[in-house]
């Protein structure tokens, strides 16, 4: 069974994730998403979904001709952290990741359908703690980041990243 695709909208099931990388060849269009200024990926809330999401995001970045390694690293780091948090801390049955280019910024959003009162916030973990640094990494990488709680429809955590590595722009309006 092939993943559902409409332009730059990809919807994956647990079966697609389980059969990865076999499902990969059906996902990336011949034009490498060159004409798609945005990408949306629907994922099941499985830890194995995180690397699949990164592979698809890399393919979209290639199609957008975003090749600067530092920029790509930041985008994939932020995306991984936000997807992992949504999987670990929400009771959502589906996670949606969105990448959108706007001027000199790349907007990353991760939406979950919620189900828990969890509110994402930065923590200051001790030296020996393994968890709790994700949102701090997001905050350090982003020009701006935040969350939107959508009444009865979960939470979206977003970050705006500079496309030019090392350049900090004025604080943009949230996506």
């Amino acid at each position: 069974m092939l993943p559902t695709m409409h332009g730059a909208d990809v919807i994956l099931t647990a079966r697609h994730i389980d059969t990865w990388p076999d499902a990969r060849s059906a996902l990336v269009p011949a034009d490498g998403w060159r004409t798609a200024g945005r990408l949306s990926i629907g994922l099941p809330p499985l830890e194995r979904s995180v690397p699949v999401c990164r592979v698809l995001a890399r393919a979209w970045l290639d199609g957008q001709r975003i090749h600067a390694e530092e920029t790509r690293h930041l985008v994939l780091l932020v995306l991984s952290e936000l997807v992992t948090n949504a999987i670990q801390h929400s009771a959502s049955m589906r996670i949606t990741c969105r990448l959108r280019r706007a001027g000199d910024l790349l907007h990353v959003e991760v939406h979950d359908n919620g189900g828990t009162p969890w509110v994402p916030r930065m923590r200051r973990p001790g030296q020996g703690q393994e968890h709790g640094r994700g949102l701090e990494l997001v905050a350090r990488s982003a020009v701006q980041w935040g969350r939107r709680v959508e009444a009865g429809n979960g939470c979206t955590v977003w970050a705006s990243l500079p496309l030019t590595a090392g350049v900090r722009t004025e604080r943009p309006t949230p996506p």
Side-chain angles (χ1 to χ4, degrees):
M1 184 166 105
L2 294 176
T4 304
M5 281 189 56
H6 300 286
D9 296 329
V10 179
I11 300 171
L12 299 171
T13 65
R15 185 173 178 182
H16 298 129
I17 300 300
D18 287 341
T19 61
W20 194 264
D22 295 340
R24 180 179 187 202
S25 61
L27 291 177
V28 181
D31 76 349
W33 286 318
R34 271 191 196 97
T35 59
R38 63 168 191 80
L39 172 66
S40 177
I41 308 167
L43 299 163
L46 304 168
E47 286 184 28
R48 297 182 313 275
S49 294
V50 179
V52 172
C53 189
R54 278 195 307 263
V55 167
L56 295 173
R58 264 190 218 101
W60 182 80
L61 291 168
D62 289 344
Q64 295 296 300
R65 295 184 175 108
I66 299 171
H67 299 295
E69 281 304 314
E70 186 176 340
T71 300
R72 291 170 67 89
H73 175 76
L74 287 178
V75 169
L76 297 172
L77 173 72
V78 167
L79 183 65
S80 295
E81 291 298 335
L82 296 182
V83 171
T84 299
N85 280 352
I87 290 168
Q88 290 179 349
H89 300 292
S90 79
S92 185
M93 296 305 292
R94 178 137 309 269
I95 307 295
T96 303
C97 310
R98 294 181 195 99
L99 297 174
R100 180 175 54 89
R101 191 176 189 159
D104 292 339
L105 295 173
L106 187 98
H107 301 288
V108 177
E109 294 184 351
V110 175
H111 176 80
D112 65 69
N113 293 332
T116 65
W118 179 75
V119 175
R121 63 178 77 106
M122 281 195 305
R123 293 188 274 162
R124 303 277 185 225
Q127 198 102 2
Q129 291 180 299
E130 291 184 29
H131 302 286
R133 291 178 178 78
L135 288 179
E136 185 176 351
L137 287 171
V138 170
R140 286 184 184 180
S141 302
V143 173
Q144 188 176 22
W145 76 280
R147 70 177 174 88
R148 292 187 306 269
V149 177
E150 297 152 23
N153 195 25
C155 177
T156 299
V157 181
W158 58 268
S160 298
L161 304 170
L163 284 173
T164 307
V167 175
R168 303 293 284 193
T169 58
E170 292 300 313
R171 294 174 89 60
T173 316

